Amino acid sequence: MPGGGRLVLDAEAVRAWSARTAGALGRERAAIDAINVFPVADGDTGTNLYLTAQAAHEAVEAVFTAPGAAGDSAPDTADAVRAMAHGALLGARGNSGTILSQLLRGMAGVLARGADGDHLARALAAAAAAARAAVAHPEEGTVLTVADAAAAACADGGTLPEVTGRAYDGARTALEATPGQLAVLGRAGVVDAGGQGLVAVLGALVETVTGRAPAPLPPFPPVRAVPAAGPAGTGETCGPGEQGPGYEVLYLLEAEDAAVDLLRARLDALGDCLVVVGGDGLWNVHVHVDDPGAAVEAGIEAGRPHRIRITHFASATAGATAGSERAQRAVVAVVPGEGLAGLCAEAGATTVLARPGEPPAGEEFVDAIRRAHAREVVLLPNDAELRKAAAAAAERARAEGIRVALIPTRAAVQGIAALAVHEPDQSFDEDVVAMTAAAGATRYAELAVAERQSFTSAGVCQAGDVLGLIEGDVAVIGQDLTETARTVLDRMLQAGGELVTLVVADGTPPALADTLEAHVRRGYLAVDTVTYHAGEGAPPLLIGVE
C-alpha cells in the first residue's frame, strides 16, 4: 500500500473488509450486547450485527470461490460490494442488523460506479440517507445519527485513507455524544449499541485501507438499571411490556415497490420500530407488534414472505438480562416448519428453523444455544447433514462453559421422540441416554416430490413423481401422495411398531392425515397414531415408527 494506504477499494479490499468486519463484530459481540438498551433491552444487538456481517462476508466469499472466478472472470469491486450488501440483506438479524444491511446497500450503489476516496464519501452519504429513509420513525442518538456524522465528516472527499479516517473519527465522536441525545441511554450510562457496532464496521474499513487498526473504544460500564420507558413522544416507546409491543417479527419479502409502500403503512399502524430495507423485488421487514400473525398476514397480502422469525420479548429478555440466573438444562432442536417450532417450543425447546434448501449455519446453532441460557444443553440436529455443523457449535459452546450433549438425530420425528422422554429433573447423563434411546428406536421416512428426472435406489423417477424415502433412501416411487404414503407406511410397519407419528405440512391433501390414520387403524390394530402439523416450509409428510 504505497503512500500509507490503498487509493482504491478494489474487490480484494472489499473481501478483506468484510472479513475484518465480521471478525471485529465477533470480538465485540458480548460488549455490544451488554450495553443494548434501545429500542429493546434484549441484549442481542451485538449478536445480530455479527450474524448479519457474517452472512455478508460469506456472500462475498461465495463470489470469489464460485467456479470460473479467476482470470478475466475474477470479481471486480461492483461484484464484491453488491454481494456484501445482498448477503447482509438475506442474513439481517434484528433492528440493528436490518439497518446495517441497508447501510451496506446504500454504499454498494455508489461504490459499484467507482471506489476511490471521493466515491467512498458519496457512498457513506448515500448509506446514511438510505438507512434513515428505511426507518419509519427515526430517533436521534442512534446508529442513524452515527451514520450521518460519519458521512458529514468526510463530505469534502479526499484520498481513500483520508476519507476513511475522517468518517471513523466523525462516527466515534457522534457515538460518544449519544447518551446526551437519547434519554434511555443517559439513564443507563451507555452509548448506543447499534452505533458502537457501526464504529466497529468503520474501524475495520480503516484497517483495510491503511493497514493500521484505529485506537479501540474505551470500555463502557455495565448497564445501570433503567426506569420504565417514558410516555409516547419521548422516543422511548419501542420495547416489551406495557410501554411497547411484545413481539419482534422479521421476514424476507418478495414484492413490488407499490405493495411495499402499502405494507409500510399497515405495519406502522400495527406496531413500532418498523424498518423495511431492500429493493428490486426483495425486501427485509422488521417490526415490533403485539399481533405477530397480523404482521405476517400483511406480508402475505403484499407478496411472498419467507424466512419468518418471531421472537417473544418476554422470553428473550429473560435470558438476556445481565446477571440473570441460567436454567439448569435446555433442549435445542432443529425443526422444518413453523408448526413444529411451536410444538417444540411448547415442550420447552429452543428451536432453529430449517428452510428448504437453506440449512441453518453453525452460527445459528451457537446463537440458539446461547439463547437457551442454560448450564446444560441437549442438541438435536434432526438431520444427518447438519451433524457436523451441530458438533462444531457444541464445541464452541463448551469453550464458553456450557455442557452440551449432541444426540445425532437424523429426522424431525426422532427429535420429537427424544423430546417426549426428556426429563429435566433426571441427571444430565440419564436424560441424554433416555433421549438417545428414544430417538434411536424411531425409524423414519419422508415423502418428497421429485424436481427433475434422476436415478434413485428404487429406479428412475421423473419430475413431479412422489418419492417415499425410508431411512434416507428412496424406497417407493409413485404418482399420488396418499397412495405412496400408504405404501411407505406398510413397508415400515412390516417390521413392527407401536406408535406412528405423522407430521403433515401445509399444501398436502386436506384428508391425508385422516386417511392414513384410518389405514393404520384398519390394518394394524395394536398401533397408535399421532399427527402434528408442520406448517409451511416442511416436507409434505414425515413419518416416524416406534
Side-chain angles (χ1 to χ4, degrees):
M1 287 182 286
R6 298 177 185 268
L7 297 180
V8 175
L9 197 69
D10 59 18
E12 284 291 348
V14 174
R15 185 184 194 182
W17 177 35
S18 71
R20 283 195 175 96
T21 294
L25 289 171
R27 291 189 298 273
E28 295 190 28
R29 178 192 61 78
I32 296 174
D33 282 346
I35 63 169
N36 171 203
V37 296
F38 182 86
V40 177
D42 50 357
D44 65 356
T45 288
T47 298
N48 288 336
L49 286 168
Y50 168 65
L51 292 173
T52 303
Q54 185 64 29
H57 176 55
E58 289 171 0
V60 175
E61 283 297 310
V63 169
F64 277 87
T65 57
D72 294 339
S73 299
D76 58 16
T77 299
D79 295 327
V81 294
R82 286 170 180 155
M84 189 175 181
H86 189 66
L89 177 68
L90 295 180
R93 297 291 196 92
N95 185 75
S96 53
T98 306
I99 292 174
L100 175 60
S101 75
Q102 188 71 343
L103 288 165
L104 293 175
R105 180 181 173 83
M107 293 184 70
V110 178
L111 292 176
R113 301 192 296 269
D116 58 10
D118 290 339
H119 278 88
L120 178 61
R122 292 197 290 273
L124 290 168
R132 187 169 285 272
V135 177
H137 302 287
E139 296 287 346
E140 297 309 320
T142 66
V143 63
L144 300 177
T145 307
V146 176
D148 286 342
C154 61
D156 293 336
T159 66
L160 197 63
E162 290 170 346
V163 168
T164 54
R166 291 203 298 267
Y168 177 81
D169 290 342
R172 181 166 173 165
T173 299
L175 175 68
E176 293 170 350
T178 56
Q181 296 173 297
L182 197 56
V184 67
L185 301 178
R187 292 201 303 270
V190 296
V191 296
D192 179 65
Q196 182 160 334
L198 179 56
V199 170
V201 173
L202 293 173
L205 181 58
V206 169
E207 185 173 1
T208 300
V209 169
T210 68
R212 299 183 299 276
L217 290 170
F220 291 94
V223 174
R224 296 195 295 260
V226 182
T234 65
E236 297 169 39
T237 58
C238 265
E242 295 181 356
Q243 297 298 325
Y247 294 87
E248 178 184 60
V249 178
L250 298 98
Y251 50 81
L252 283 177
L253 178 70
E254 296 174 18
E256 299 298 325
D257 291 8
V260 172
D261 290 339
L262 294 174
L263 175 66
R264 280 193 177 98
R266 182 168 178 186
L267 292 179
D268 196 23
L270 283 175
D272 55 29
C273 295
L274 173 61
V275 184
V276 181
V277 303
D280 302 320
L282 183 63
W283 309 82
N284 198 308
V285 179
H286 169 279
V287 68
H288 296 173
V289 293
D290 279 323
D291 186 349
V296 175
E297 288 173 8
I300 293 172
E301 292 183 8
R304 177 178 172 265
H306 50 109
R307 293 198 190 182
I308 300 167
R309 292 175 57 88
I310 299 173
T311 301
H312 185 213
F313 284 126
S315 57
T317 55
T321 303
S324 62
E325 184 65 21
R326 288 181 179 270
Q328 181 59 34
R329 190 174 310 154
V331 177
V332 172
V334 178
V335 292
E338 298 284 352
L340 280 184
L343 171 70
C344 292
E346 288 176 8
T350 298
T351 59
V352 178
L353 191 62
R355 308 168 187 89
E358 300 174 12
E363 284 302 327
E364 292 187 74
F365 283 109
V366 176
D367 180 39
I369 292 171
R370 289 169 177 153
R371 284 190 286 116
H373 203 61
R375 299 183 183 91
E376 302 167 339
V377 172
V378 181
L379 184 56
L380 306 174
N382 295 338
D383 187 329
E385 295 184 0
L386 296 178
R387 183 174 178 180
K388 183 177 292 185
E395 284 301 315
R396 288 181 56 184
R398 290 179 188 124
E400 296 178 10
I402 304 170
R403 188 180 184 188
V404 182
L406 171 62
I407 298 178
T409 48
R410 294 171 290 171
V413 288
Q414 290 187 325
I416 292 172
L419 266 175
V421 300
H422 170 51
E423 289 289 348
D425 292 334
Q426 284 186 329
S427 73
F428 187 64
D429 290 337
E430 289 174 337
D431 195 23
V432 170
V433 167
M435 294 176 73
T436 302
T442 302
R443 287 168 286 133
Y444 62 93
E446 173 185 332
L447 265 67
V449 178
E451 296 182 355
R452 57 186 175 275
Q453 183 188 64
S454 61
F455 293 94
T456 76
S457 52
V460 178
C461 71
Q462 305 297 327
D465 283 350
V466 179
L467 307 180
L469 294 86
I470 299 177
E471 304 283 323
D473 292 323
V474 177
V476 180
I477 300 174
Q479 280 69 50
D480 179 78
L481 188 68
T482 302
E483 287 303 318
T484 306
R486 283 198 188 102
T487 303
V488 170
L489 263 175
D490 288 339
R491 291 199 183 185
M492 296 182 74
L493 288 170
Q494 284 175 359
E498 299 176 355
L499 175 66
V500 170
T501 300
L502 304 174
V503 181
V504 184
D506 286 354
T508 57
L512 176 64
D514 292 340
T515 300
L516 295 179
E517 287 181 5
H519 179 71
V520 173
R521 283 197 302 271
R522 286 194 303 269
Y524 308 92
L525 299 180
V527 179
D528 293 325
T529 306
V530 59
T531 299
Y532 300 110
H533 293 278
E536 185 180 1
L541 179 67
L542 302 174
I543 301 172
V545 175
E546 302 175 52

